[in-house]
Amino acid sequence: MNDDETQRGTEPERAAVNRSPRWWRRRWVQVTLTAVVVVLVGLVIGAAYVIHNEEPLVRGRVVAALSQRFNSPVELDKLNISLLQGIEVHGRGLRIRYIAGPTAPDHESNVPMLSVASFTFRTNFTELLHQPMRVEHVSVEGMELHIPPANQRGPLIHHDDPGATPTKVTFLVDRISCKDVKLFIETSKPGKDPLEFDIQKLILTDVGATQPFAYEADLTNPKPLGQIHATGHFGPWASAEPRDSPLDGDYSFSHADLSTIKGIGGMLSSTGHFSGQLGNITADGTTDTPDFSLDVSNHPVPLHTTFHAYIDGSTGDTTLDPVQAHLLHSDFTARGKVQMIHGQGHDIALDVDMPHARIEDMLELGVKTDPPLMHGALTLKTKLHIPPGHVRVAQKVELTGNFAIHSVGFSNPKVQDRVDSMSMRAQGRPQEAGAAGSDRQAEVQSEMTAHFNLGHGVITVNDLHYKIPGALVLLNGVYSMDGNLFEFKGHVRTDATASQMVSGWKSWLLKGVDPFLKKNGAGLELPISISGTKGDVNFGLALNGTSNETPEQMKADLKAKAAARKGFPQPPKH
C-alpha cells in the first residue's frame, strides 16, 4: 500500500464517513432550534397578549388621570402600544370636554376645552403593572387650551367636593414636551377677542396633581414681532374655576420689531416678572428701545420704560398703573388702559403727566423739522388716545391737554433775533433793538402756555400765551407734525407805547396815536400773524380782522397753502 492509499483510507472507511449526518441534522441542533422557535413564538404571543391587554389598561389610566385632574369627561380616539423600541405608547385625538363653554350641549360649536393632536411616551413592563404608573417623558404635538368665562362652563364632575372619597392617582408624569401650543383665554364681554398665545415650545416638569409644576416656554409675539422666553410655575389646576389657577414666571422679550406696527419703528427688548391667577395677572418689567421713532419725523431717540400692569383674563384688557418713561432728557408718567377691540386691534387710552421734560425732545420725536424749532423746560398733562385701526400711528393718535414751556429759546437764529428785537422795543429800548435783532445771539428767553389738541397729524393750539420781557403775545394756531406748515394769529400787547418803541422823529409822530393804540391796560395792542414753512418764519400784522380767526379756520388756510404748493387749485375760503 502506497502513501496515497494510506492517506485516502480504505473504501469502507470512506463510506462510513459519508453516511454520518451533517451538523444541522444532528438531533441536539434540531432540538435547540425547535426550542428557540417555541420561545420566539411564545414571546410574540406574550407580547401580543400584553399589547392586547395593556392597551385598554394604559388607555384607562390616561383617561382616568385626565378626567380626575380636570373634572371633565375625556375622549381619546386612538391609543397603540409598540414594542419596536421598548414599550412605546402612541395616542391621537385626545379631548377634554364639557368644562369649556363652547362645548356645552346647547352651544353651536364643538371646541373642547383641551385638545391634543398626538402624544407619545415610553415605559417598561414594570411601570405598566405598577400603580400609579409613572412616565418619565411625554411628547405632545398640536395642543389647544380654551379657558372659558365662568358663566359659560359646562357641567363638572366634582371629584374634589368636600367629603367625597379621594380618587386614587393612576398616572404620573415627570416631564412633558409640547410643540405648537395655542392658549385661548375666552371672554364673555361683547366685541372682545380672546387673549391668544401661540407657543412654539413648552416644557412642563414635576407635573403633579396637587402641586405647582415648572414650565419653560418659547413663543413668537405677533405685534410687535419678537421672541418671548418665559420660565416659572403653574398650578395646581383649579377645576372649579380654571381662571383661578395660580401662575408666576419671569420673561424676556427680545428683538421686538416695532416697525410691524404701522407708524412707529425701533427694536424693543423687555424683561420682567408676572404672577397671580390665569384670569388676573400682575406684571412688572422694563423696556428698552434705543432707536424708537415715529415715521412722521424718522428721528430715532432712546426710550426706556418701567411698568406695573394688570391683565384681566376675563376681558383681555390691560391696565397700566403706572408706566414710568425716560426719553432723551425727559421723564414722564402714564396711566390708563389698553383694550382689545374685536377684529380691529387695541384701543389705548392713557393719562400722561410730564413734570420734567424738554420741548426739544418732544419735537425731535414728533416733528420732521431738524433741528427742533425751539428748546426749553416743558411741563405737560395730556390725555393720549390711540384708537384701533390698521393705519399709521401718526394718523390716528389723539392728544388733548395743557402745556407750559419755560426759558424758551429758538434754534433758528433768524427767529431768535426777531424775538430779541421785539422784546427790546416792547420794553421801550428801541436803541438796542437793531443790535439785538442782528447779532445771532439770544438776548431774551420767553415763557409759553397753551391748551392743545392733536389729531390727524395736525396740532391745534388754543389760548397760547407767549410772554417775553416787555410783551405778551396771545395766539391761536395750527402746526403740522411734518413741519411743513404752521400758522398762528392773535394779538401782541407791549409795556411800551407805540412812540416809546421807536426813536427820533418817528417817536414824535407816534405820540399822537398812542391813545388810540392803548388797549386792555397795555401800552400797545396790535393784531399779528406768524406763519411759515419749516425754517422760514414770517412775522407781520394780521389784516382784515384775521387776528380773530379760529384754529379751524387756520386749518383751512393750511390746507389751501398745501394744495397750492402741490399745484392743486385752492378751495374757496368761507
Side-chain angles (χ1 to χ4, degrees), residues 37 45 69 132 160 184 206 227 259 262 285 301 312 333 363 369-370 383 468 514:
V37 170
I45 294 174
R69 182 61 271 159
D160 49 3
F184 300 89
D206 300 326
Q227 299 299 313
S259 66
K262 288 185 178 181
V301 295
D312 185 346
T333 302
L363 294 175
T369 304
D370 191 18
K383 291 186 178 296
I468 58 175
D514 279 346

Side-chain angles (χ1 to χ4, degrees), residues 45-357:
I45 294 174
Y49 177 83
V50 168
I51 292 174
H52 178 75
N53 288 275
E54 289 298 328
E55 280 185 358
L57 175 62
V58 175
R59 179 191 184 96
R61 289 186 178 182
V62 171
V63 169
L66 293 173
S67 179
Q68 174 203 3
R69 182 61 271 159
F70 293 103
N71 277 356
S72 175
V74 175
E75 299 173 354
L76 179 58
D77 291 343
K78 189 174 182 180
L79 187 136
N80 298 112
I81 294 179
S82 169
L83 299 180
L84 295 178
Q85 296 180 343
I87 299 178
E88 189 170 82
V89 180
H90 303 270
R92 287 188 171 276
L94 175 65
R95 293 176 298 280
I96 299 176
R97 281 286 180 189
Y98 296 137
I99 196 171
T103 60
D106 58 347
H107 201 280
E108 60 184 7
S109 68
N110 192 33
V111 179
M113 183 200 72
L114 185 145
S115 64
V116 171
S118 66
F119 64 89
T120 303
F121 63 86
R122 291 187 177 89
T123 186
N124 53 52
F125 283 103
T126 302
E127 289 296 344
L128 278 176
L129 302 176
H130 191 267
Q131 183 78 355
M133 177 180 172
R134 191 173 199 94
V135 175
E136 291 185 1
H137 183 221
V138 177
S139 297
V140 175
E141 291 192 12
M143 177 191 292
E144 281 196 13
L145 179 60
H146 293 256
I147 305 298
N151 61 350
Q152 292 185 8
R153 292 199 319 270
L156 300 178
I157 303 173
H158 295 285
H159 291 300
D160 49 3
D161 281 346
T165 302
T167 304
K168 189 174 182 180
V169 176
T170 60
F171 201 90
L172 296 175
V173 180
D174 293 335
R175 177 185 175 94
I176 302 175
S177 300
C178 307
K179 292 182 180 179
D180 300 326
V181 179
K182 291 183 180 293
L183 170 62
F184 300 89
I185 302 180
E186 309 285 354
T187 174
S188 58
K189 193 171 182 179
K192 291 287 185 180
D193 288 329
L195 282 176
E196 179 178 348
F197 302 91
D198 292 324
I199 304 172
Q200 285 76 48
K201 179 182 177 183
L202 176 64
I203 298 175
L204 311 176
T205 54
D206 300 326
V207 180
T210 59
Q211 70 272 359
F213 56 80
Y215 70 87
E216 180 178 358
D218 293 306
L219 58 152
T220 300
N221 191 72
K223 281 190 178 184
L225 182 63
Q227 299 299 313
I228 299 176
H229 180 76
T231 59
H233 301 87
F234 179 74
W237 180 263
S239 299
E241 175 48 82
R243 293 168 188 267
D244 291 341
S245 302
L247 174 71
D248 68 68
D250 297 287
Y251 78 90
S252 62
F253 188 16
S254 59
H255 302 96
D257 187 0
L258 297 181
S259 66
T260 55
I261 301 174
K262 288 185 178 181
I264 65 175
M267 198 64 69
L268 176 145
S269 62
S270 177
T271 59
H273 176 80
F274 54 91
S275 61
Q277 293 80 40
L278 196 58
N280 189 8
I281 301 171
T282 300
D284 294 274
T286 62
T287 72
D288 281 289
T289 311
D291 54 351
F292 180 74
S293 67
L294 300 175
D295 65 354
V296 70
S297 62
N298 288 321
H299 292 159
V301 295
L303 174 64
H304 173 82
T305 71
T306 301
F307 64 86
H308 181 70
Y310 304 92
I311 299 96
D312 185 346
S314 299
T315 62
D317 297 340
T318 298
T319 300
L320 301 171
D321 189 19
V323 176
Q324 303 284 356
H326 182 78
L327 185 148
L328 289 174
H329 309 94
S330 300
D331 297 305
F332 57 95
T333 302
R335 288 180 168 87
K337 183 170 286 190
V338 180
Q339 295 181 297
M340 298 181 65
I341 306 301
H342 179 68
Q344 300 181 50
H346 294 89
D347 187 285
I348 302 172
L350 302 174
D351 291 323
V352 181
D353 184 14
M354 292 186 179
H356 308 290

Side-chain angles (χ1 to χ4, degrees), residues 467-481:
K467 188 174 182 179
I468 58 175
L472 173 63
V473 182
L474 306 173
L475 295 173
N476 292 319
V478 288
Y479 188 100
S480 62
M481 287 184 66

Side-chain angles (χ1 to χ4, degrees), residues 497-508:
T497 62
S499 61
Q500 293 171 340
M501 296 176 67
V502 294
S503 59
W505 61 271
K506 295 179 181 179
S507 176
W508 285 99

